[in-house]
Amino acid sequence: MRLRALLETDALGLRLLGGEDELDRSVRGVMTTDLRDPSRYLTGGELVLTGLAWRRDAADSEPFVRILTGAGVAGLAAGEAELGDIPGDLIEACERHRLPLFAVHETVAFATITEYVVRQVSGERAGDLAAVVDRHRRLMTSGPAGGGPEVVLDLLGSDLDLHAWVLSPTGRQIAGAGAPLPGPVGATLAGHHLAATRTGRRGPHRATVDGVTYSLFPIRNTGRGAAPASRDVRESVLSDWLLAVEADASDWPAARLDLLQGVTQLIAVERDRRDAARTVRRRLAQEVLELVQAAAAPAEIAARLRVAAPVLLPGLGTAPHWQVVVARVDWGAEGAPGSPGGAVASGVAGGPVAQALLEEILVDPAVTGPDSAERIAVAHTADEAIALVPLPALAAPPADATDLAEADDAGGATPAKDEPVLHADALLAAVREPLSAGLADDGRLTLGVSAAVHSPEGLRGALEEARHARRVAAARPGRVCAAGHHELASHVLLLPFVPDDVRRAFTARLLDPLRNYDRRHRAELIPTLEAFLDCDGSWTRCAARLHLHVNTLRYRVGRIEQLTGRDLSRLEDKLDFFLALRMS
């Protein structure tokens, strides 16, 4: 805005005391001060408001005005409440330095002037930024010259003082300006956004985390691959990005909301470009998957893997190890634990949803940027997604050459202990909260992870292993569940498939007498039993863990045997107690 506009607003009650020829100066902000030297707080273009508390005598005016002029301020407004009329020495100093000077009537608060100027300047900046955003959109649509979403986020920060971040559906930061958003905050915001989207509410959505208010704007794909607007929200809720702005947009004018909507459309162009870049990796995964499922010759699969390796791990000199991850998203009542076919029954194809979600889950949450998933190749069928994940090959062969030969014959895994293999629980640790919100009451995500393999012969077994691990995860309660290959060789594999009535009867027969006794006598027989089994039946180690005398421990174990009719020195009875505790 121009200084002249201040005089044209009667509500401000300003009188011009000097500098009429300088009223076309632009005002970029307001600063109130009574410091003798406020230069450290000035950046240029401000209207300075002062109550003149800095002035002790006439000699103070000249250095004060000289400092303001040197800082490039737009003008000075002095209040009449302290001294009445504005001192002549200040008027003369302003005339010498060609600094416009206004008198502020004692009935007008500085806050009134500040609010007026800030409102005018903010509106003009929004208009300027809208033009920049429109130009940037055209550049990004026609090619990469726009510079990506970071450029427009920088503009939001510099011109509108808005801190903003682009987040994935799991809360991972894809782009941002300034300080990164803490991971837990991003996950919480993504959960708020997904939950609000599932209810059908239109954005922006408001969320408060750690006392800070954010407005969440959906970023929907509007490019060439966009689906019709009438699609089921479940087809996109787990794959759409969001724009998180550190502000409360509930009272924003329509012009500013329209501006932010334009920003989301601009970022959607980048999203469309990223999806296009994934096409090659998806096609490679699809080709390998089809060969593996068709039981193609190992040489044919190996040739396809040699094509995939340089794309997924550029510069890799040797063939990597591979892991297979299978994910499935089920919707509707049939998606409940133990019930297959939820995606099909709900009318929403689960495969494409699981594909986009698996591509996100497999990204390291500590890595930012839209291209951080370049090592991930995910294919999909009608109801599941299958990821082919490369791992760096071993730098040196195993010490025993016989072991290597046996592993080659079996197509099995020989990764080193410190090799960065995927673990099922770790994959979901950072994304469980937001994804549970997006799945709401009618969705489930189940995921299985295979062991690492290093030969084409091993891929078919790895795929079946990952699928079987996913079925183990599906038998567990919860909206987001995973299982790994290591669980397929233990009792953990069997327990989820035991019918509920059998589980209840088995655990009640063994544990209910102990629970009832503990409730009446506070004897802690159940904790004692757990510790005794965990210590492999060692009396001394168990007594030390529970801080008991060995005779006290023997008394408790004897009471357990008396109440249940079992003998804890027998392996069969120990095993029964162990399984009962795991199923309870």
Side-chain angles (χ1 to χ4, degrees):
M1 63 171 294
R2 305 291 180 182
L3 280 176
R4 191 179 305 279
L6 298 173
L7 293 175
E8 297 170 353
T9 306
D10 295 336
L12 300 183
L14 297 179
R15 284 187 301 114
L16 181 65
L17 300 180
E20 185 174 1
D21 295 338
E22 303 293 332
L23 292 181
D24 286 329
R25 292 185 180 186
S26 296
V27 180
R28 297 176 53 193
V30 184
M31 191 264 192
T32 301
T33 185
D34 275 314
L35 296 174
R36 297 169 66 86
D37 181 3
S39 57
R40 71 184 71 179
Y41 306 110
L42 297 171
T43 58
E46 296 93 347
L47 173 66
V48 176
L49 306 178
T50 180
L52 300 177
W54 50 267
R55 182 183 179 279
R56 296 186 180 89
D57 54 46
D60 293 333
S61 294
E62 172 65 24
F64 182 78
V65 173
R66 188 188 312 117
I67 289 172
L68 297 187
T69 303
V73 303
L76 174 65
E80 296 178 328
E82 183 73 20
L83 302 178
D85 292 338
I86 305 302
D89 50 89
L90 180 59
I91 297 174
E92 294 172 2
C94 288
E95 288 179 350
R96 283 194 297 272
H97 292 277
R98 302 179 63 83
L99 180 65
L101 176 63
F102 301 88
V104 182
H105 195 272
E106 61 182 6
T107 60
V108 178
F110 282 176
T112 301
I113 301 174
T114 299
E115 181 181 356
Y116 174 82
V117 173
V118 169
R119 187 165 58 247
Q120 296 298 315
V121 170
S122 178
E124 292 179 4
R125 284 183 177 174
D128 293 341
L129 183 57
V132 173
V133 168
D134 185 64
R135 184 183 76 246
H136 197 71
R137 183 190 298 114
R138 291 196 298 270
L139 286 172
M140 287 191 68
T141 303
S142 60
E150 285 83 0
V151 175
V152 74
L153 296 184
D154 283 334
L155 289 172
L156 288 177
S158 62
D159 282 26
L160 294 184
D161 197 26
L162 291 176
H163 302 290
W165 303 265
V166 178
L167 304 178
S168 76
T170 65
R172 180 177 60 88
Q173 181 174 320
I174 294 170
L181 196 66
V185 175
T188 301
L189 291 178
H192 278 289
H193 174 74
L194 292 174
T197 302
R198 285 302 311 275
T199 64
R201 301 206 317 266
R202 297 185 63 182
H205 310 300
R206 184 176 179 274
T208 301
V209 181
D210 297 334
V212 180
T213 299
Y214 300 86
S215 294
L216 311 176
F217 294 80
I219 299 173
R220 295 189 173 90
N221 187 353
T222 58
R224 294 181 296 275
S230 60
R231 65 183 178 180
D232 192 313
V233 68
R234 292 174 295 181
E235 295 181 24
S236 61
V237 67
L238 297 179
S239 60
D240 283 345
W241 291 354
L242 67 139
L243 176 67
V245 181
E246 189 179 321
D248 186 353
S250 59
D251 58 351
W252 280 6
R256 179 168 286 203
L257 288 173
D258 289 344
L259 172 63
L260 267 294
Q261 294 297 343
V263 171
T264 64
Q265 293 171 13
L266 178 62
I267 297 171
V269 175
E270 176 65 25
R271 173 64 188 271
D272 188 43
R273 179 173 293 133
R274 188 209 63 159
D275 285 344
R278 283 185 171 179
T279 301
V280 173
R281 298 194 298 274
R282 288 173 172 175
R283 186 172 64 247
L284 286 173
Q286 198 74 39
E287 292 173 353
V288 174
L289 172 64
E290 291 173 356
L291 290 174
V292 170
Q293 293 191 126
E300 188 176 358
I301 299 175
R304 182 53 52 189
L305 288 176
R306 283 194 294 273
V307 173
V311 175
L312 301 178
L313 286 177
L316 189 66
T318 57
H321 289 78
W322 303 90
Q323 274 185 283
V324 176
V325 183
V326 172
R328 177 166 172 151
V329 175
D330 291 301
W331 301 104
E334 291 80 359
S339 301
V344 176
S346 70
V348 179
V353 177
Q355 180 185 45
L357 192 54
L358 192 52
E359 286 173 334
E360 170 62 26
I361 291 174
L362 291 175
V363 177
D364 185 346
V367 177
T368 61
D371 297 323
S372 55
E374 290 183 350
R375 289 180 50 186
I376 299 164
V378 184
H380 73 82
T381 62
D383 58 0
E384 69 179 5
I386 302 166
L388 190 65
V389 183
L391 303 170
L394 295 173
D400 190 343
T402 302
D403 292 343
L404 178 58
E406 292 176 352
D408 285 337
D409 291 340
T414 58
K417 291 183 179 179
D418 58 350
E419 188 176 343
V421 295
L422 301 175
H423 297 281
D425 292 339
L427 284 177
L428 297 181
V431 302
R432 193 180 304 275
E433 175 189 349
L435 292 186
S436 297
L439 292 163
D441 296 329
D442 63 343
R444 292 195 81 222
L445 166 67
T446 51
L447 184 146
V449 181
S450 78
V453 297
H454 62 85
S455 67
E457 293 90 339
L459 276 181
R460 184 173 180 82
L463 175 59
E464 291 306 316
E465 189 175 57
R467 281 175 167 162
H468 198 56
R470 192 208 63 79
R471 288 192 288 270
V472 171
R476 295 172 174 168
R479 289 288 161 195
V480 180
C481 298
H485 63 91
H486 61 282
E487 299 180 65
L488 303 183
S490 74
H491 65 279
V492 177
L493 172 63
L494 302 177
L495 296 186
F497 299 99
V498 178
D500 288 343
D501 54 345
V502 176
R503 293 161 66 101
R504 285 192 294 269
F506 182 75
T507 57
R509 188 178 302 115
L510 281 175
L511 302 183
D512 278 2
L514 306 183
R515 293 191 179 112
N516 294 334
Y517 190 88
D518 281 348
R519 191 161 45 249
R520 294 194 306 268
H521 302 284
R522 298 181 180 179
E524 297 187 355
L525 296 184
I526 292 290
T528 300
L529 175 62
E530 291 176 332
F532 186 73
L533 295 176
D534 194 45
C535 292
D536 299 324
S538 170
W539 297 97
T540 54
R541 283 196 288 123
C542 183
R545 175 180 294 188
L546 296 175
H547 305 290
L548 298 174
H549 192 277
V550 172
N551 289 340
T552 303
L553 176 61
R554 291 184 183 277
Y555 172 80
R556 289 188 183 180
V557 171
R559 179 63 66 183
I560 292 170
E561 294 174 335
Q562 180 184 6
L563 291 171
T564 60
R566 299 299 186 105
D567 182 357
L568 277 170
S569 65
R570 298 179 67 246
L571 177 61
E572 294 86 347
D573 288 343
K574 287 180 181 178
L575 179 60
D576 285 347
F577 277 122
F578 175 81
L579 293 175
L581 290 170
R582 289 297 181 271
M583 288 191 293
S584 63

